[in-house]
Structures are given as C-alpha cells and as structure tokens.
Amino acid sequence: MSQSACSAYYVPRARAPAGPAPRPRTPAGRIVRLCGGPGPTAAFAEVTVKTVYRWLARVSDRGTGGRIPQAAQARLVANAQAAGIPIDFVDFAPRAGEAFQ
C-alpha cells in the first residue's frame, strides 16, 4: 500500500496572504493597536483583558461594537499619555472608513 502526500486525517490549511495587516474598522480596534494590543490596553484602562475583547466584539456577539465606555476613556487617555502614546479623546470617534458595529 503506498502513502500519498495527503492522508485522510491531514488537510493542509490555507495560509494568510502576505502583506500588511488589515486596518482596524472600529475606533476601539484602532486604539487597541496604538496601545500595543489587548494586554497593554487593559493595563492603561485599568480593566481586564476580557473587557477589552468585549470592546472589540460586535453588538450581535454581546460586545460593544467598537465603542470604549466613557468610564474607561479618561483612565485610558491619562495612562497612555503618561506612557508616551499619543491618544486623545478625539480618537474615540470613528474616522473615515470606520464605524461602530
């Protein structure tokens, strides 16, 4: 019995195309990327990482749809600016090509 390159138990996955990372489509996605990911964003906002992922999730998936609650915005801006990350309150509004989901 000969073995083929592909067995019934192994299916090769398609790889992501090479190129730049996709742009975030919500204000929360853009801010999380500016802060360096969900972990640093959670530290700046003084919330859990799970909360940051909730900001990134759609409303239909029990998230906030890209909105960062006002209670966390002030802490996030103050702590991020203290760390040298240029975030201001204007960044919490959608820019061109972005929308709340």
Side-chain angles (χ1 to χ4, degrees):
M1 190 182 267
S2 67
Q3 288 208 337
S4 64
C6 246
S7 72
Y9 298 105
Y10 172 75
V11 178
R13 287 190 283 176
R15 296 188 184 263
R23 295 188 53 168
R25 293 178 282 182
T26 62
R30 181 173 26 85
I31 290 171
V32 168
R33 183 172 283 173
L34 276 173
C35 291
T41 305
F44 292 143
E46 300 172 9
V47 296
T48 64
V49 176
K50 183 177 180 179
T51 301
V52 174
Y53 280 112
R54 203 174 119 254
W55 298 342
L56 299 172
R58 293 177 182 214
V59 174
S60 60
D61 296 329
R62 296 184 177 176
T64 63
R67 292 177 176 88
I68 297 177
Q70 189 174 10
Q73 290 179 7
R75 292 188 306 260
L76 181 62
V77 169
N79 292 332
Q81 286 180 349
I85 299 173
I87 294 178
D88 200 5
F89 288 102
V90 182
D91 295 321
F92 293 97
R95 292 185 180 172
E98 295 178 344
F100 296 121
Q101 300 176 350

